Amino acid sequence: MVIDWNQKNGDAPAPERMKIRAAAYVRMSTEHQKYSTDNQIETIRRYAEKNGYEIVRQYADEGKSGLRLVGRDALQSLLSDVESDSAGYQAILVYDVSRWGRFQDPDEAAEIELRCKRQGIAVHYCAEQFENDGSIGSSIIKTVKRAMAGEYSRELSVKVFAGQANLIRLGYRQGGPPGFGLRRQLVDQGGNPKGELSRGEQKSIATDRVVLIPGPDNEVRVVRRIYSLFVADGRGEAEIAEILNAEGILTDWGRAWSRGTVHQVLLNEKYVGNNVWGRTSFKLKQSHIKNPEADWIRADGVFQGIVPTELFQQARSIIESRAERLSDEVMLQKLAEVLGRQGYLSGLIIDEAEDCPSSSSFSHRFGSLLRAYALIGFVPDHDYRYLEINRALRRMYPKLLADVMQGIGAAGGEVRQDPATDLLTINEEFTASLVVVRCIQTSAGASRWKVRLDTALKPDLTVVIRMDLNNSEPYDYYLLPQLDMHEAVLRLCEFNGLSLDAYRFDSLSRFYAMAARTSLLEVA
């Protein structure tokens, strides 16, 4: 028998210390697979047991890049819980400093921790060799580690870019639609064809590559005819577009031809087999940049061309000579006339304008489009920009709608489109309406989206596509059920609280899953 001589007669044993309620946050990024979420959770669990924490909630962002907060649903949910006083825990356990994110600005990671601490919730880094106790030492180490996390992404971006550039020089395609008259072909690491990729399909084996090949004979003949009409017959782009439209020929997106789409066929080097990449960049997911031609990555003659090089050069010479014959003053006068008619200028507007040099001609003559704009006193302004953006979104809407219908079909659902209203009836069970919303940037640099729900159609579900800052690609998606929407107009910010962001998704996979159906015979 063991006697505790320090215990007084009649005293009960000391009660076990109450554990502190805590949440665990884990993230596994696509570029850093070795720290799987399971490994992170195991480390966090051991830390909790050792230090008297009870994990009552877990947040996990799997396969999410840490370059931005956008798209990380779990982290946004965590911050929403913390700041709405509905967390129900007093501490947050994180694997290490880099799990918050590999932001290029270290202050972004610091802000996440600060938002938690302001609500009285402490943050602990379970795999770090320092205690996050607010001391000078821990503050210095955290700052260094945040900077190191951002530098890791920067170095990785450089390596990835170099790898992609090398693949371009070897003749492999790096993303983007093939274009009218061309198709994407999948090849193995030995260059052996494996099959043609249809729209929306991606390669699934890391060692496979994609090359461009000639498309159907009828499309190839149309491309060659465009060049022949332009070079041999002296027809302009707008006149060629009218000829094609009169014959019922559609573009690769299923739309009517325009002066601009014909112009792009005449200028794109892929039709002679050249591989050109890097016209724009979006490094580290910071901002889209138009790169100067000298920085483009190119490899000539790596694809099978469908237009003779000599004919392509003749077409380019004609386009360039249209500007060379004009003085700077005349070119700027024509640009000012387009501005007067349209109220705004963009590369697309210039290329669509009759009797005006192309946007590339202005860039070549004046160094950039922005310089040409400045010379005629035009400054891109939000008061005018929305007109062109709305036109572009209207042109984009049919493709987005077609993609959604294709996704429903691929998931095994049936969809019927009302030709008058575009209302979708899915599996004869519920209706859905597609709304594309442009992004508006405030004077303070914040992003805003104004959503107008179609109250007249009263769809069971509204699929909202929020566009990115440049209004060129979808930013994210909202699936808004009519039962929960009580306002005809919604004004969305980047983060809108759980009441709205609970309906936010990075893709439409959840929507397609709602449409999925499996026959009883197949189940059996």
Side-chain angles (χ1 to χ4, degrees):
M1 185 175 92
V2 178
I3 300 176
D4 184 0
W5 296 101
N6 294 319
Q7 182 177 320
K8 297 181 180 179
N9 293 335
D11 286 353
E16 184 179 351
R17 189 178 65 172
M18 182 73 70
K19 288 189 174 183
I20 302 172
R21 294 169 63 85
Y25 173 76
V26 295
R27 177 181 65 84
M28 180 182 70
S29 60
T30 53
E31 73 269 9
H32 203 172
Q33 295 291 340
K34 76 174 184 175
Y35 293 127
S36 72
T37 53
D38 290 341
N39 291 341
Q40 293 175 51
I41 282 294
E42 180 60 25
T43 300
I44 291 172
R45 185 187 60 78
R46 290 198 301 267
Y47 181 94
E49 290 178 354
K50 179 181 177 182
N51 294 277
Y53 292 98
E54 178 188 2
I55 300 175
V56 297
R57 183 76 185 272
Q58 181 176 319
Y59 302 86
D61 278 320
E62 298 191 11
K64 299 294 184 181
S65 169
L67 289 170
R68 299 192 302 172
L69 188 60
V70 174
R72 294 165 62 184
D73 295 344
L75 180 53
Q76 293 184 34
S77 177
L78 180 150
L79 293 173
S80 177
D81 291 344
V82 166
E83 294 178 335
S84 63
D85 295 327
S86 60
Y89 44 79
Q90 293 77 48
I92 298 173
L93 309 182
V94 189
Y95 182 81
D96 63 15
V97 173
S98 71
R99 294 304 89 197
W100 284 137
R102 299 186 180 278
F103 304 106
Q104 293 308 290
D105 185 350
D107 290 344
E108 290 190 59
E111 182 194 14
I112 293 174
E113 181 177 327
L114 181 61
R115 290 169 67 177
C116 298
K117 292 170 68 176
R118 281 174 176 164
Q119 304 302 317
I121 297 179
V123 175
H124 298 274
Y125 301 109
C126 306
E128 299 286 11
Q129 300 300 311
F130 66 90
E131 282 295 327
N132 191 22
D133 55 5
S135 64
I136 294 178
S138 69
S139 299
I140 292 174
I141 294 173
K142 281 191 297 184
T143 301
V144 171
K145 287 196 171 261
R146 287 167 183 154
M148 289 171 61
E151 180 63 14
Y152 169 84
S153 290
R154 192 196 66 79
E155 291 180 351
L156 184 64
S157 174
V158 172
K159 293 175 182 177
V160 169
F161 180 85
Q164 290 176 317
N166 185 53
L167 291 175
I168 290 295
R169 297 185 183 100
L170 292 173
Y172 298 121
R173 181 80 170 168
Q174 289 292 300
F180 187 85
L182 298 169
R183 293 295 186 270
R184 297 178 302 148
Q185 185 178 71
L186 191 67
V187 298
D188 62 21
Q189 55 186 339
N192 302 307
K194 296 183 64 176
E196 188 178 298
L197 292 174
S198 59
R199 181 178 297 171
E201 286 186 326
Q202 304 292 333
K203 70 185 188 73
S204 57
I205 301 176
T207 54
D208 285 349
R209 297 288 177 249
V210 177
V211 297
L212 288 184
I213 59 173
D217 291 340
N218 62 316
E219 290 190 17
V220 172
R221 286 194 295 270
V222 170
V223 172
R224 290 171 178 167
R225 185 182 174 202
I226 289 173
Y227 277 84
S228 178
L229 288 169
F230 185 74
V231 175
D233 297 351
R235 306 290 185 94
E237 292 98 319
E239 189 177 0
I240 295 173
E242 289 179 2
I243 293 173
L244 298 178
N245 291 333
E247 297 176 5
I249 299 172
L250 300 176
T251 68
D252 52 321
W253 294 107
R255 305 169 190 162
W257 291 86
S258 67
R259 183 183 188 274
T261 52
V262 173
H263 185 77
Q264 288 303 313
V265 169
L266 293 169
L267 281 179
N268 205 310
E269 296 184 47
K270 62 188 174 185
Y271 291 109
V272 293
N274 295 346
N275 202 11
V276 183
W277 180 73
R279 291 183 175 90
T280 61
S281 58
F282 187 38
K283 293 181 178 179
L284 297 170
K285 299 187 177 182
Q286 298 301 299
S287 60
H288 288 276
I289 297 173
K290 236 181 177 179
N291 297 320
E293 189 171 348
D295 293 342
W296 296 356
I297 310 299
R298 60 184 309 119
D300 295 340
V302 292
F303 302 136
Q304 180 183 345
I306 62 176
V307 174
T309 303
E310 182 180 355
L311 185 60
F312 177 83
Q313 293 298 343
Q314 288 175 333
R316 171 166 282 191
S317 296
I318 292 172
I319 293 172
E320 292 176 350
S321 65
R322 292 190 304 209
E324 289 176 358
R325 291 194 299 266
L326 303 176
S327 65
D328 291 357
E329 291 75 14
V330 173
M331 285 187 67
L332 292 174
Q333 180 183 349
K334 289 183 176 296
L335 189 63
E337 290 172 356
V338 175
L339 174 61
R341 291 195 300 268
Q342 299 290 336
Y344 187 75
L345 289 176
S346 71
L348 181 61
I349 290 177
I350 295 170
D351 288 338
E352 292 283 3
E354 288 286 353
D355 192 30
C356 182
S358 65
S359 58
S360 59
S361 298
F362 282 101
S363 296
H364 180 74
R365 177 72 69 89
F366 299 102
S368 70
L369 271 179
L370 287 177
R371 174 158 171 74
Y373 293 165
L375 290 173
I376 64 169
F378 171 68
V379 177
D381 189 292
H382 283 289
D383 292 338
Y384 297 102
R385 186 178 305 169
Y386 78 94
L387 296 173
E388 172 59 13
I389 291 173
N390 286 348
R391 282 193 288 266
L393 293 183
R394 282 195 294 270
R395 289 191 295 268
M396 191 184 301
Y397 179 84
K399 176 191 177 298
L400 293 172
L401 184 63
D403 288 345
V404 169
M405 295 177 66
Q406 183 180 357
I408 294 172
E414 295 181 359
V415 59
R416 174 168 51 84
Q417 176 189 2
D418 187 321
T421 64
D422 286 332
L423 185 70
L424 302 180
T425 301
I426 299 160
N427 296 324
E428 300 298 330
E429 296 173 352
F430 66 96
T431 58
S433 176
L434 187 68
V435 177
V436 182
V437 187
R438 67 184 176 97
C439 179
I440 304 170
Q441 192 171 28
T442 68
S443 58
S447 296
R448 297 289 185 269
W449 294 265
K450 188 176 182 179
V451 181
R452 290 183 175 87
L453 300 178
D454 201 334
T455 53
L457 292 179
K458 296 183 178 179
D460 298 315
L461 190 71
T462 299
V463 180
V464 176
I465 302 179
R466 293 204 305 183
M467 301 303 290
D468 62 12
L469 186 60
N470 297 310
N471 286 293
S472 59
E473 298 288 341
Y475 177 75
D476 58 13
Y477 306 86
Y478 279 74
L479 304 180
L480 304 177
Q482 182 190 8
L483 289 173
D484 293 345
M485 297 299 112
H486 308 294
E487 302 290 338
V489 178
L490 302 177
R491 290 173 174 80
L492 302 181
C493 309
E494 284 236 30
F495 311 109
N496 305 281
L498 195 59
S499 61
L500 281 173
D501 283 348
Y503 304 105
R504 196 199 73 81
F505 302 91
D506 290 328
S507 71
L508 289 177
S509 58
R510 185 67 62 86
F511 176 62
Y512 298 147
M514 293 169 59
R517 293 294 182 270
T518 303
S519 65
L520 292 175
L521 182 61
E522 184 178 340
V523 172

